[in-house]
Amino acid sequence: MSDFSPQSDNINSPWPEAGIETVSHCPVCGSKDSTLLHTGITDRIFYCAPGSWNLVRCSKCESAYLNPRPKPETIHLAYQKYYTHKTKEKSAKITLGLGRRIMELSSFAYCNSRFGTALLPAGKFGALVMRLIPGKRKALDQQFRHLPRSKPDGRLLDIGFGDGKFLDLAKKAGWSVSGCDTDPVTIASAREKGLDVRQGGIEAFKDLSESFDVITLSHVIEHVHSPKEVSQEIFRLLKPGGQVWMETPNIQSYGHEQFAKDWRGLEPPRHLVLFNWNSLEAMLKEVGFSHIEKLPRYDVYARLAVKSRAIARGQDPYEKQKTERFDDVKSLFFNLKTRLHPNKSEFITLIAHKPKSTLN
C-alpha cells in the first residue's frame, strides 16, 4: 500500500524554478526537432513530486522526453515517497504463485539447470517438467534477467539495484555481484548484507574498465538525464564479449495508445526519457553494441492497464482495484495483439552484446 494522498502539498506546488532546465535536443539521438505529445502531466503515481510537465516526441527517433525537466541536482524531490524506500528486507525467493509442491520442486530444478543455482529441494525431473510449461519457464527466465551461466570469475553489476532481490538471485547463481544506487538507505542495507555496492549512478564505478561480464538495468535507463552517456559508460565497463540486459517502458505500446496521459509508464517527472524498440536499439548500436536480442513480454498489459485505469479515476494505482466488465477479455485481446506486433509491447526487454574484439 502506498502513501496515497491526492491532496499532497507537494503536487499542488510548482517545482523550484531554479531547479528546471530546458532540453535543447533529444537525449537519445540528438535531434533538435520535436512535437508536443502531452501537456500538464503530474505525478499521479506516488503523489510526492511537485510540478506540472510537458512530454515531447522526437521527430527523428520518436522517443519521448520531458521538456523542460528537473535538473540533476533537484531530481531527488521526485523520489520522496518512492516505492523502493518502503520495501521490507527479504531474501530473494523464486515465487511463481504455484501452490503445488511438485511445481516448486520443478522450478528449483529448472533454475539449478539453467542458471547454476543450488536451490533445494529440487525434483529429479523438474527441469524437464518446466520445459513443458513455457509460461512458467519464461517467468523464471525474466526473474533471472535471462542470465547466462556464470564463469568461475564471472562479475555482474546491477545499476539501480533497489531492494537488492536480483543481486541476491544472481549471487545464488554463482555471480560475483556489485551494484550502485542513489538511495543511501538502500546502500546501507545492502552493505549490512555484505554486498559490494556504491552510492550513485554508474559513475560510481568510473575507476574500473572492462571489469564486468554482465550489467543489468531494470527500469532505470528512463530515469537518467543522459541515457546515451550512460550506455557509453556501460560499454566501457563491460569486458569484451560481455552483455547488458535492459528493460524499460515502451512509448509506442498499446497501453500508451489506449490510456495516453493516464498510462502507468509515463510516471512524470521520474521518467525523463521514454524509448521505443527502434530508438533504444539504435542508441545501443551507435555506442558500439552488436547482436541485440529482443525479448518482448506478452504478460504485462493487464497489470499496467489496471494501474492506468486507477490513475484515470484519481485512485491509488497500487491499491487493489476492482475488475470491470470485459477487462479480462480486453487484456487477453491486447496480449494476443502484442504477440503479433511485439514492437507494441508495454516494456522493451533486450540484451545487447559488446563485441569480443573492437579491432577491425
Side-chain angles (χ1 to χ4, degrees), residues 105 107-122 149:
L105 296 176
S107 65
F108 282 8
Y110 175 76
C111 291
N112 294 345
S113 173
R114 168 68 175 80
F115 301 107
T117 54
L119 302 171
L120 294 172
R149 291 290 292 262

Side-chain angles (χ1 to χ4, degrees), residues 142-338:
Q142 177 69 27
Q143 199 169 354
F144 277 86
R145 301 183 186 174
H146 305 89
L147 284 175
R149 291 290 292 262
S150 176
K151 304 172 184 177
D153 58 347
R155 295 190 65 187
L156 177 146
L157 171 64
D158 187 22
I159 301 172
F161 64 85
D163 59 19
K165 288 182 180 179
F166 173 69
L167 286 180
D168 194 7
L169 284 177
K171 191 174 181 180
K172 291 179 187 298
W175 291 92
S176 174
V177 300
S178 301
C180 57
D181 201 283
T182 57
D183 184 2
V185 176
T186 295
I187 293 293
S189 176
R191 286 176 176 166
E192 285 179 4
K193 294 190 290 186
L195 294 172
D196 172 31
V197 296
R198 302 184 186 184
Q199 186 172 348
I202 193 171
E203 71 280 355
F205 287 87
K206 64 183 179 181
D207 58 311
L208 301 180
S209 182
E210 297 191 347
S211 299
F212 297 98
D213 299 276
V214 174
I215 296 178
T216 64
L217 301 88
S218 180
H219 294 269
V220 170
I221 197 70
E222 67 271 19
H223 291 260
V224 303
H225 286 74
S226 303
K228 186 174 180 180
E229 291 180 12
V230 169
S231 299
Q232 290 170 331
E233 188 65 3
I234 291 170
F235 190 85
R236 187 184 70 83
L237 289 176
L238 280 171
K239 298 176 184 177
Q243 67 181 51
V244 59
W245 180 98
M246 285 189 185
E247 184 167 272
T248 187
N250 176 16
I251 193 63
Q252 292 183 346
S253 69
Y254 283 125
H256 178 246
E257 285 185 1
Q258 182 179 2
F259 296 104
K261 282 186 176 184
D262 302 321
W263 183 53
R264 170 62 184 85
L266 293 187
E267 199 178 317
R270 287 172 291 274
H271 289 184
L272 301 171
V273 183
L274 290 160
F275 295 84
N276 56 69
W277 280 94
N278 290 337
S279 66
L280 182 55
E281 183 176 357
M283 183 187 74
L284 292 173
K285 285 183 176 179
E286 187 174 350
V287 303
F289 286 100
S290 63
H291 182 44
I292 295 177
E293 301 175 53
K294 297 181 178 181
L295 302 164
R297 298 176 63 183
Y298 309 116
D299 60 343
V300 181
Y301 174 85
R303 176 158 48 93
L304 263 64
V306 168
K307 291 179 172 58
S308 299
R309 292 188 193 103
I311 292 168
R313 300 188 195 105
Q315 298 171 344
D316 183 351
Y318 283 90
E319 283 286 356
K320 186 175 181 180
Q321 301 294 325
K322 183 178 180 181
T323 302
E324 296 182 352
R325 190 179 183 186
F326 300 126
D327 280 353
D328 291 340
V329 176
K330 289 179 184 177
S331 295
L332 178 61
F333 172 71
F334 280 107
N335 284 346
L336 291 173
K337 283 188 72 175
T338 304

Side-chain angles (χ1 to χ4, degrees), residues 23-37:
V23 184
S24 62
H25 58 273
C26 173
V28 180
C29 72
S31 173
K32 294 184 178 181
D33 297 325
S34 64
T35 56
L36 193 59
L37 184 58

